[in-house]
Amino acid sequence: MSEQKKKGGLLGWYFNFNLLYRILIGLVLGIILGLVLREKILWIAPFGDIFVRLLKMIMMPIILSTLIVGASSVSPASLGKVGIRVIIFYLATSAFAVVIGLLMGTIFQPSADLSSIEQLAANAAARTAENVKVSTIILNIVPTSIASAIVSENVLAVIFFALVFGLGISYAKGSDDPRLKHAGEVVFSFWEGVAEVITMVIKWIMEYAPIGVLALVSVVFATNGPKVIGSLGVVTAACFTGYAIHVVFVYFALVKFYGRLPLGRYLKDAKDPFITAFVTRSSNGTLPVTMKSAANLGVSKEVYSFSLPLGATINMDGTAIYQGVCATFIALSVGRGMFSLQEMGVIVLTATLASIGTAGVPGAGAIMLLMVLDAVGLPVTAGSLVAGAYAMILGIDAILDMGRTALNVSGDLACTACVSKKMGLMDMSKWEKKSA
Ligand code: ASP
């Protein structure tokens, strides 16, 4: 923070040091402390929870204000064009991600010996009640009450309301009736002010990120530690290989060949949301950082204020890959064998929908996995082998979630940058200056 620049001492050192390096130091220290001290470091958990709470606290205000300002800043016609492109990108990359997940499942063939998992099966049984239906996901997009949508953190419903409300402001502002035009302008200024103030608050919250990251990561490693071996090691390897393939062959390829943007310069700003998502395991929580990166890359606010909050909710490529791999793991572990092509088709469809319905919060993808398993006749029922295999996945979910969230967020930024560039809505001077 600039006003802290002149200060000496520990605080001065803290604020003067580059934020990204501070976050990375927090990450490395967190891993070391977690692995070395194990349960002795668990007291640190509340420091991580504070960070997640701060991010969640700002989540709804940022989604509401940025989407309302975004939707009311553009003419309905151009919002339509941007919106359709963004949504097509999001859906296509998610469907592709499930295919990669299934491919990884086929190549790695992850499976476990389920003879000693009765206890795990009992633990997993509790999760079955949280099962979710596709029709419910779609219906829930339209809120019956905006207040309850906000309170229950139904992000899709809030997005829906914000878009409708923003479009209303946009129409009012452009009205020939002076009274309506004035009303539109006043409401627009109010929300623009809210968005500005929230951006400022986000900067303050990010100063706490290094401490929050250290705490979050040390707890994950303290609780999961050397358990990540054997069959679960194979699941992890399959997921992370899938994530890496998707980054290179989808995102890098899109940015370089479709967006025709220099990759090195892109990565300079794209790495910040990647790292933040990796450690917070929340696309929604990372939203402020993703937005800052989009702005640094010269993406028009018109595009990113709409596409990033939407992407944080509906575009979950990492989650889609994870679902493909884990569905295969469970099918193989219960002795059901590899999926047929037709079943793979069902998985691609349901996992794409599941990733749309997955909230951008830690662990949400594991709940949506239940929906995919149901669709291929592998329901998680109390005491069943499927429940046991599912519980094993839950044991390492935090680690898988780190990678999939990083991917989820990277996909939002890559699609946003490409659509923005293609539609001539990108400030290219940002690219010239930094690459010089
Ligand atoms: N944690 C993920 C995210 O926020 C969602 C998931 O659990 O798959 O993007």
Side-chain angles (χ1 to χ4, degrees), residues 281-284 312 316 319 358-366 401 404-405 408:
R281 296 187 286 129
S282 170
S283 296
N284 288 343
M316 304 262 178
T319 304
T358 305
V361 295
D401 197 9
R404 67 180 189 251
T405 310
N408 292 345

Side-chain angles (χ1 to χ4, degrees), residues 13-253:
W13 174 84
Y14 184 84
F15 286 115
N16 282 332
F17 201 48
N18 180 300
L19 179 61
L20 181 67
Y21 292 139
R22 273 185 280 151
I23 293 180
L24 278 176
I25 291 172
L27 175 76
V28 175
L29 267 182
I31 294 175
I32 296 170
L33 288 176
L35 287 177
V36 173
L37 297 176
R38 303 308 298 265
E39 65 279 356
K40 285 195 207 100
I41 192 73
L42 290 180
W43 58 267
I44 208 171
F47 289 92
D49 295 343
I50 287 177
F51 182 49
V52 174
R53 277 172 172 262
L54 284 170
L55 290 170
K56 286 190 80 176
M57 173 188 86
I58 209 74
M59 178 186 94
M60 280 299 169
I62 196 176
I63 291 177
L64 257 184
S65 61
T66 52
L67 265 184
I68 289 174
V69 172
S72 51
S73 306
V74 289
S75 68
S78 78
L79 176 76
K81 259 194 255 159
V82 173
I84 284 169
R85 275 187 192 228
V86 165
I87 289 168
I88 289 175
F89 260 88
Y90 284 168
L91 290 181
T93 51
S94 294
F96 192 75
V98 194
V99 175
I100 291 187
L102 287 171
L103 201 66
M104 289 304 107
T106 311
I107 294 169
F108 281 80
Q109 305 251 327
S111 89
D113 170 15
L114 295 186
S115 51
S116 61
I117 57 163
E118 285 84 3
Q119 182 56 45
L120 289 169
N123 294 345
R127 302 291 285 248
T128 55
E130 298 173 37
N131 219 334
V132 193
K133 280 205 182 95
V134 178
S135 57
T136 317
I137 293 169
I138 294 168
L139 262 186
N140 281 346
I141 293 175
V142 184
T144 50
S145 143
I146 179 62
S148 79
I150 292 174
V151 171
S152 58
E153 295 185 1
N154 182 349
V155 183
L156 276 183
V158 176
I159 286 179
F160 182 82
F161 169 78
L163 283 179
V164 173
F165 189 64
L167 278 178
I169 297 174
S170 170
Y171 272 105
K173 273 200 306 171
S175 167
D176 293 333
D177 176 347
R179 205 182 52 85
L180 196 58
K181 189 176 166 62
H182 175 68
E185 280 163 356
V186 169
V187 179
F188 178 72
S189 301
F190 168 78
W191 283 104
E192 208 178 26
V194 173
E196 290 290 332
V197 173
I198 285 170
T199 309
M200 196 179 72
V201 174
I202 287 162
K203 277 195 195 142
W204 296 347
I205 293 177
M206 288 316 292
E207 292 296 328
Y208 180 71
I211 298 166
V213 163
L214 186 152
L216 286 170
V217 169
S218 59
V219 170
V220 168
F221 278 83
T223 39
N224 290 286
K227 230 198 297 169
V228 199
I229 43 167
S231 51
L232 289 178
V234 181
V235 174
T236 312
C239 281
F240 277 82
T241 308
Y243 299 157
I245 290 176
H246 199 76
V247 166
V248 174
F249 290 98
V250 179
Y251 303 152
F252 287 2

Side-chain angles (χ1 to χ4, degrees), residues 265 268-269 296-297 429-436:
R265 164 70 188 92
K268 255 187 202 167
D269 282 299
N296 288 347
L297 288 169
S429 68
K430 301 258 183 186
W431 293 74
E432 284 150 25
K433 257 186 262 159
K434 295 212 173 172
S435 55

